[in-house]
Amino acid sequence: MPYLQIDVPIRYPRDQKQRLAKRFGEIYADIMHANIRRISVAVRELHDGGIWRCTEGDPYEAALLMCDIRKGRPPEQRERLARALVNACVEILELRTDQVNVEFTQHSGDEMFHPLLGGLSEEWSANEAR
């Protein structure tokens, strides 16, 4: 944890998805004061017609970024993260801002297990070292 999962409406080349994962990791580690080695990113390509944003008129193709994170960050910090992640999607995936929604699911530390980092995670704190 964190696990950042983005559902997108088209296919992207591997190197573009890798650039997005790298940028998501950098953004998350910086804004959320987290160890970058904790971060996993999934890019799920739902292809033509696979994900839509509903409107009063016709729906349009969209993307959804789900962020499973440790609880404890204030709303302002999560909003800053969401804005930066959306900007990365615009820059790297060439999506429009109105195509990307971000949702957070917050977990306690003991709901995450990282063998690389010694097992169950601790609760997040503002003093957490990277």
Side-chain angles (χ1 to χ4, degrees):
M1 205 61 73
Y3 184 32
L4 309 179
Q5 310 157 65
I6 186 163
D7 294 329
V8 294
I10 62 174
R11 290 180 187 234
Y12 291 95
R14 185 181 196 283
D15 66 317
Q16 199 170 1
K17 291 182 283 192
Q18 185 178 29
R19 280 194 349 257
L20 182 71
K22 180 175 178 53
R23 187 69 186 119
F24 274 9
E26 293 166 347
I27 290 168
Y28 192 95
D30 179 52
I31 293 175
M32 301 298 266
H33 308 289
N35 184 326
I36 199 165
R37 296 183 315 156
R38 290 186 177 277
I39 304 163
S40 298
V41 175
V43 179
R44 293 191 291 242
E45 298 167 320
L46 300 179
H47 311 278
D48 188 34
I51 184 168
W52 297 90
R53 178 87 62 246
C54 293
T55 69
E56 292 81 10
D58 290 334
Y60 60 90
E61 288 186 315
L64 179 61
L65 175 56
M66 299 294 296
C67 301
D68 287 288
I69 66 173
R70 284 182 292 162
K71 65 182 175 182
R73 277 84 164 198
E76 300 80 17
Q77 189 177 20
R78 292 191 313 271
E79 182 176 3
R80 202 165 72 246
L81 174 69
R83 290 183 186 281
L85 293 172
V86 168
N87 288 340
C89 291
V90 169
E91 174 190 335
I92 296 170
L93 300 181
E94 300 178 356
L95 293 169
R96 298 184 320 270
T97 301
D98 70 317
Q99 286 181 287
V100 186
N101 277 21
V102 180
E103 296 186 10
F104 293 96
T105 303
Q106 299 182 67
H107 301 271
S108 61
D110 67 0
E111 293 179 0
M112 297 157 243
F113 182 81
H114 287 271
L116 179 67
L117 299 174
L120 291 176
S121 296
E122 296 178 0
E123 296 302 319
W124 180 83
S125 78
N127 298 324
E128 183 171 301
R130 292 184 197 186

